[in-house]
Amino acid sequence: MRTILLVFFLSSISLHVSGFCTSRGISVFPSGKTIRPNTIFVVEGYSLSQGVIEKLGTTYPVYLINGKTKIRLTVKETLKGGYLLTQAVLIPERPPKKGVRYTFVIENLPKEEEKLTVWDENLGKDVAIAFDVIGNNDLIKPIFTAVPQEIDKKNVMYGCGPEVWVRFSCLVNDSSEVLIKATVKSLTTNDSASYYLDHGDSSLFIGHSMCSGAFLLNQGDLYQVTFMLIDASGNTTEWVGAPILFTQPAFTNPKPIVSIGIE
């Protein structure tokens, strides 16, 4: 996925194996290098960068740029995550042209924000976020190839805080990149929240990591979740059937790391 600093975009779990959390980061979906003319974008801000997301389109205009051509992106929806994440869905004011490469630009970024770039493994360096427009409009809706179900769960305390999540299977078929809009409701308090998540290796996480996450879960609450699919061209598939019930995982102490010295 496209990242700035060490934030993994649109996953409810950002695993910082180094044991500490960064202070800011901005990421962009889609993560690939190609888009269709009817593309949409989702931009996520972590921690101190949430302020940028909240003012996208006003203080911080967003564009697709090719030479002197600028296509403004407008904010369609803004969602606040439960723990240090905020995201916005953006749509172009007019379709980008097929066969043209556009750079994704957020203007007026504060000096403390890093330049909006992505790591290019082939070049071995950070490059500007750019997309080649290919093909015609993608009008095919994404579909689940299997009904999502709970796989496992975790609740462990680390140095900067707890990691709490419930993992669900998420097998999806589509010709474009796909996000899942999870809507979680506490049947104990009736509070509900929604957030767009990446399904990574065919599963997704409801909860949060030590550093950030889309959903906060309360001990003892009974929850329900539904999943709506949306692809990078804005095609959506609503949830059908009853919500999935789940509870927060019980707290467990992490196993201590034992070092053995040999002389």
Side-chain angles (χ1 to χ4, degrees), residues 10-12 142-152 166-174 176-183 195-206 225-231 237-239 244:
L10 291 167
S11 170
S12 61
I143 60 171
F144 283 111
T145 57
V147 178
Q149 55 186 307
E150 183 178 320
I151 299 174
D152 55 11
V166 180
R167 185 162 66 105
F168 293 86
S169 62
C170 189
L171 300 172
V172 178
N173 184 36
D174 194 66
S176 301
E177 293 182 56
V178 178
L179 297 177
I180 291 86
K181 187 178 186 179
T183 298
Y195 205 80
Y196 290 98
L197 305 173
D198 180 27
H199 59 101
D201 61 346
S202 301
S203 66
L204 58 80
F205 297 85
I206 300 297
V225 62
T226 59
F227 302 113
M228 183 196 83
L229 303 178
I230 182 169
D231 67 17
T237 301
E238 299 291 337
W239 178 260
I244 302 172

Side-chain angles (χ1 to χ4, degrees), residues 197-236:
L197 305 173
D198 180 27
H199 59 101
D201 61 346
S202 301
S203 66
L204 58 80
F205 297 85
I206 300 297
H208 62 87
S209 72
M210 175 182 70
C211 298
S212 65
F215 300 102
L216 292 175
L217 302 177
N218 299 321
Q219 186 67 48
D221 282 12
L222 175 64
Y223 290 93
Q224 68 177 33
V225 62
T226 59
F227 302 113
M228 183 196 83
L229 303 178
I230 182 169
D231 67 17
S233 294
N235 302 303
T236 61

Side-chain angles (χ1 to χ4, degrees), residues 36-39 95-96 134-140 233 235:
R36 298 296 185 98
N38 61 334
T39 187
I134 63 170
N136 299 315
N137 287 349
D138 172 12
L139 302 176
I140 300 174
S233 294
N235 302 303

Side-chain angles (χ1 to χ4, degrees), residues 2-258:
R2 299 185 186 278
T3 62
I4 288 182
L5 300 181
L6 297 176
V7 181
F8 297 102
F9 177 66
L10 291 167
S11 170
S12 61
I13 303 301
S14 298
L15 299 178
H16 297 263
V17 294
S18 57
F20 63 90
C21 302
T22 58
S23 61
R24 63 181 72 245
I26 297 174
S27 299
V28 178
F29 170 90
S31 64
K33 297 181 179 180
T34 61
I35 56 175
R36 298 296 185 98
N38 61 334
T39 187
I40 67 167
F41 301 91
V42 182
V43 184
E44 182 176 81
Y46 161 69
S47 192
L48 298 179
S49 297
Q50 292 179 95
V52 172
I53 307 304
E54 292 164 354
K55 296 179 180 179
L56 282 178
T58 54
T59 305
Y60 308 109
V62 192
Y63 296 96
L64 295 177
I65 297 178
N66 175 270
K68 295 182 179 180
T69 300
K70 297 175 71 173
I71 301 176
R72 192 179 185 99
L73 303 180
T74 61
V75 178
K76 179 182 178 182
E77 182 181 18
T78 301
L79 294 174
K80 186 80 171 178
Y83 184 28
L84 296 180
L85 292 179
T86 300
Q87 61 187 189
V89 180
L90 308 175
I91 56 175
E93 286 189 335
R94 64 181 188 276
K97 290 185 177 182
K98 178 180 175 181
V100 177
R101 172 173 292 185
Y102 295 90
T103 301
F104 187 96
V105 176
I106 300 177
E107 294 187 339
N108 305 331
L109 280 176
K111 62 180 181 180
E112 59 269 18
E113 291 289 346
E114 296 247 347
K115 213 171 174 184
L116 198 59
T117 59
V118 62
W119 179 258
D120 189 305
E121 293 184 359
N122 294 325
L123 297 177
K125 63 179 182 179
D126 287 324
V127 297
I129 296 177
F131 301 97
D132 292 316
V133 183
I134 63 170
N136 299 315
N137 287 349
D138 172 12
L139 302 176
I140 300 174
K141 293 185 177 183
I143 60 171
F144 283 111
T145 57
V147 178
Q149 55 186 307
E150 183 178 320
I151 299 174
D152 55 11
K153 55 180 63 179
K154 186 176 185 179
N155 184 345
V156 177
M157 178 64 71
Y158 292 115
C160 292
E163 178 181 319
V164 182
W165 49 256
V166 180
R167 185 162 66 105
F168 293 86
S169 62
C170 189
L171 300 172
V172 178
N173 184 36
D174 194 66
S175 58
S176 301
E177 293 182 56
V178 178
L179 297 177
I180 291 86
K181 187 178 186 179
T183 298
V184 176
K185 180 180 180 180
S186 167
L187 299 181
T188 305
T189 65
N190 283 324
D191 293 333
S192 65
S194 299
Y195 205 80
Y196 290 98
L197 305 173
D198 180 27
H199 59 101
D201 61 346
S202 301
S203 66
L204 58 80
F205 297 85
I206 300 297
H208 62 87
S209 72
M210 175 182 70
C211 298
S212 65
F215 300 102
L216 292 175
L217 302 177
N218 299 321
Q219 186 67 48
D221 282 12
L222 175 64
Y223 290 93
Q224 68 177 33
V225 62
T226 59
F227 302 113
M228 183 196 83
L229 303 178
I230 182 169
D231 67 17
S233 294
N235 302 303
T236 61
T237 301
E238 299 291 337
W239 178 260
V240 176
I244 302 172
L245 301 179
F246 70 96
T247 58
Q248 184 200 48
F251 177 75
T252 57
N253 286 312
K255 294 181 180 180
I257 298 175
V258 180

